[in-house]
């Protein structure tokens, strides 16, 4: 039972291909979802150095210092993911939700010429995958005891993770060229579902982090940076065995979220056209293990190693002021995966990906504006073939073994819509 809990926990964390709020794995590497505004979707998330667009506030709260008005933006991100694996038994699709939605909310309140208050709500991490029971043949072995059939392997069936980040911030305008911001990140894991053929785990939890950012602007050049600290979300829930006669257990999972650093440079080539290049570093090495503990404390039941590596993303965004009230956006991003072969997981079949974004912003008059963005995410195929043999003697050790060998393919469509009111 202990192994079942730890396996379920590990797969859940490692594999939550975030469809949205996991956004079914269609965003940045791992189970991160950096698409926090419709403007960001249109520029492939290259907005950290943009002092002009209110859609940049959620990427860099220091940008609020360069805006003279207060504003509130309310919208949603919708993700339509597609995952499939081809192995010895054919091609299998992940039967996750066709579309998943997540909130995108950002408010900015001007206190005076120097100070601004901000409040953002978004879903920076998450995912969802569902595999049919017969997807991985090495994990379908069962022990038949007459009226009772006992699965011998905790085959991953469903992984779902939804994490909401509530981000209050304070911005200080140092002078005409420089703005600074600081805030906290309150992470709420509103749903964590980790199902296998041996046990089901459902739970929720929360955790805290902090963020710092800056934005410098001199004539046509602007330079920005944003940092979100690592955080630990304590998820508590019930593990329900699917074997008769074994009682449920209360368990606590420590989910280590990575730190995120983003730096960007933007240059206005003309009064209408501007280009921005951003570099993002995600500290996936924080996601080194998953500790499963009895609820209420005590020594860990088991610790599972993930062995992920820090990963980079490179983003290029263009904005073009087509008309006085209309801005066009275009972007491309290349995101590296932090997941190596040693602990590859079918719950999070991650790989390097290409992100293509396009969007439009339209002023509607009387302080109202509408932002729309679309992104296509194409994962590079992952032809996984492990040299580590899976063994029933250690049935919990699935990640990184030949039990999940196969050719993995994935893609996703993202659509963002926001309405903004400036006052």
């Amino acid at each position: 039972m202990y192994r079942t809990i730890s396996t379920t926990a590990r797969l859940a964390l490692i594999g939550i291909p975030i469809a949205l709020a996991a956004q079914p794995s269609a965003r940045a590497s791992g189970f991160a979802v950096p698409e926090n505004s419709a403007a960001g979707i249109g520029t492939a998330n290259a907005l950290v150095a943009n002092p002009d667009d209110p859609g940049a506030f959620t990427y860099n709260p220091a940008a609020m210092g360069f805006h003279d008005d207060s504003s509130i933006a309310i919208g949603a991100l919708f993700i339509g993911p597609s995952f499939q694996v081809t192995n010895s038994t054919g091609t299998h699709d992940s039967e996750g939700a066709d579309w998943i939605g997540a909130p995108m909310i950002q408010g900015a309140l001007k206190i005076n010429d120097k100070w601004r208050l901000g409040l953002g709500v978004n879903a920076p991490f998450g995912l969802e995958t569902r595999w049919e029971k017969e997807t991985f043949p090495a994990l379908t072995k069962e022990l038949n005891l007459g009226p009772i059939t006992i699965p011998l392997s905790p085959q991953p069936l469903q992984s779902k993770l939804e994490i909401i980040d509530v981000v209050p911030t304070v911005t200080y305008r140092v002078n005409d060229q420089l703005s600074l911001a600081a805030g906290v990140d309150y992470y709420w894991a509103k749903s964590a579902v980790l199902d296998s053929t041996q046990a089901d785990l459902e739970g929720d939890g929360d955790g805290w982090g902090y963020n710092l950012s800056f934005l410098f602007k001199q004539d046509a050049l602007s330079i920005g940076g944003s940092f979100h600290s690592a955080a630990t979300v304590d998820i508590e829930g019930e593990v329900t065995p699917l074997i008769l006669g074994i009682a449920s257990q209360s368990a606590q999972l420590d989910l280590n979220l990575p730190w995120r650093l983003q730096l960007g440079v933007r240059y206005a080539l003309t009064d209408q056209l501007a280009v921005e290049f951003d570099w993002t570093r995600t500290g996936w090495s924080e996601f080194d293990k998953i500790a499963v503990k009895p609820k209420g404390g005590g020594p860990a039941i088991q610790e599972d190693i993930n062995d992920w590596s820090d990963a980079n993303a490179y983003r290029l965004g263009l904005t073009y002021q087509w008309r006085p009230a209309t801005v066009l956006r275009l972007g491309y991003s290349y995101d590296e995966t932090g997941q190596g072969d040693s602990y590859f997981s079918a719950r999070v079949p991650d790989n390097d990906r290409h992100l293509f974004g396009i969007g439009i912003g339209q002023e509607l008059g009387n302080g109202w504006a509408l932002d729309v963005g679309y992104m296509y995410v194409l994962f590079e195929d992952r032809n996984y073939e492990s040299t580590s043999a899976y063994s029933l003697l250690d049935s919990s050790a699935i990640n990184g073994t030949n039990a999940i060998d196969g050719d993995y393919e994935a893609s996703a469509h993202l659509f963002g819509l926001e309405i903004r009111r400036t006052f």
Side-chain angles (χ1 to χ4, degrees):
M1 179 60 190
Y2 286 172
R3 286 186 176 180
T4 297
I5 295 175
S6 101
T7 297
T8 305
R10 172 184 56 212
L11 292 180
L13 281 186
I14 254 188
I16 284 175
I18 212 170
L20 166 93
Q23 313 168 12
S25 222
R27 325 68 23 191
S29 63
F31 51 91
V33 184
E35 290 77 26
N36 293 330
S37 74
I41 294 172
T43 59
N45 302 306
L47 271 184
V48 74
N50 191 320
D52 301 326
D53 198 325
F57 294 172
T58 186
Y59 292 87
N60 186 348
M64 290 187 289
F66 289 90
H67 291 252
D68 293 330
D69 299 315
S70 299
S71 65
I72 183 169
I74 299 177
L77 170 65
F78 301 95
I79 298 176
S82 174
F83 296 94
Q84 69 175 211
V85 59
T86 301
N87 55 22
S88 60
T89 59
T91 299
H92 307 270
D93 293 322
S94 173
E95 302 295 333
D98 291 335
W99 286 90
I100 301 173
M104 296 190 302
I105 302 172
Q106 181 65 48
L109 178 63
K110 179 181 179 180
I111 304 301
N112 53 42
D113 290 341
K114 292 289 187 180
W115 294 95
R116 310 286 191 277
L117 297 179
L119 179 64
V121 180
N122 54 68
F125 299 98
L127 116 157
E128 183 174 12
T129 51
R130 300 178 194 173
W131 298 110
E132 294 180 346
K133 186 176 180 181
E134 304 302 321
T135 299
F136 304 103
L139 304 178
T140 59
K141 293 180 173 57
E142 297 177 333
L143 179 62
N144 194 324
L145 299 178
I148 300 177
T149 299
I150 301 176
L152 298 179
S153 300
Q155 179 180 357
L157 296 178
Q158 179 184 7
S159 302
K160 183 178 181 181
L161 179 66
E162 296 177 288
I163 295 182
I164 302 299
D165 187 11
V166 180
V167 193
T169 54
V170 177
T171 298
Y172 178 69
R173 180 73 178 267
V174 179
N175 52 42
D176 291 343
Q177 288 78 41
L178 180 63
S179 180
L180 305 175
V184 298
D185 289 277
Y186 170 69
Y187 296 106
W188 171 40
K190 64 183 294 286
S191 177
V193 179
L194 308 170
D195 292 352
S196 75
T197 52
Q198 286 190 341
D200 294 344
L201 173 64
E202 295 190 19
D204 55 18
D206 57 10
W208 293 87
Y210 68 88
N211 60 83
L212 302 169
S213 60
F214 77 92
L215 186 56
F216 173 82
K217 183 178 185 299
Q218 180 68 52
D219 299 325
L221 176 68
S222 58
I223 302 172
S226 176
F227 175 78
H228 290 261
S229 72
T232 299
V233 177
D234 297 324
I235 298 176
E236 297 183 355
E238 286 290 317
V239 175
T240 304
L242 302 183
I243 302 174
L244 296 177
I246 300 181
S248 299
Q249 286 193 20
S250 297
Q252 176 177 311
L253 311 178
D254 293 333
L255 174 59
N256 296 320
L257 300 179
W259 50 263
R260 293 161 284 157
L261 172 64
Q262 188 169 5
L263 300 174
V265 178
R266 182 176 185 266
Y267 190 80
L269 300 172
T270 69
D271 291 340
Q272 294 176 294
L273 179 64
V275 59
E276 177 169 342
F277 176 77
D278 290 0
W279 168 75
T280 299
R281 181 77 168 173
T282 303
W284 286 116
S285 57
E286 297 287 339
F287 189 56
D288 59 342
K289 63 183 178 181
I290 292 178
V292 181
K293 306 174 183 177
K295 186 176 179 179
I301 297 172
Q302 185 170 335
E303 293 183 346
D304 295 320
I305 305 301
N306 302 317
D307 196 29
W308 284 30
S309 301
D310 298 345
N312 297 314
Y314 308 93
R315 315 188 190 283
L316 180 66
L318 297 173
T319 56
Y320 179 70
Q321 195 70 41
W322 182 37
R323 295 175 178 174
T326 307
V327 59
L328 305 180
R329 306 180 178 104
L330 191 67
Y332 167 76
S333 177
Y334 177 72
D335 288 12
E336 300 173 344
T337 180
Q339 182 191 53
D341 287 343
S342 298
Y343 295 93
F344 177 77
S345 169
R347 290 189 181 264
V348 188
D350 194 37
N351 205 10
D352 299 341
R353 66 201 71 181
H354 305 269
L355 292 71
F356 306 89
I358 188 171
I360 185 171
Q362 179 65 47
E363 299 290 338
L364 304 176
N366 297 320
W368 292 94
L370 178 67
D371 290 304
V372 180
Y374 167 78
M375 179 183 290
Y376 177 68
V377 181
L378 177 63
F379 291 68
E380 295 185 0
D381 294 349
R382 184 148 190 172
N383 303 317
Y384 181 72
E385 185 175 352
S386 177
T387 58
S388 298
Y390 173 72
S391 173
L392 287 176
L393 297 177
D394 187 8
S395 64
S396 67
I398 298 175
N399 291 357
T401 70
N402 61 4
I404 52 177
D405 280 359
D407 297 336
Y408 292 82
E409 299 179 18
S411 63
H413 300 275
L414 282 71
F415 179 77
L417 178 68
E418 277 184 299
I419 186 74
R420 185 176 70 254
R421 179 73 163 91
T422 300
F423 53 91

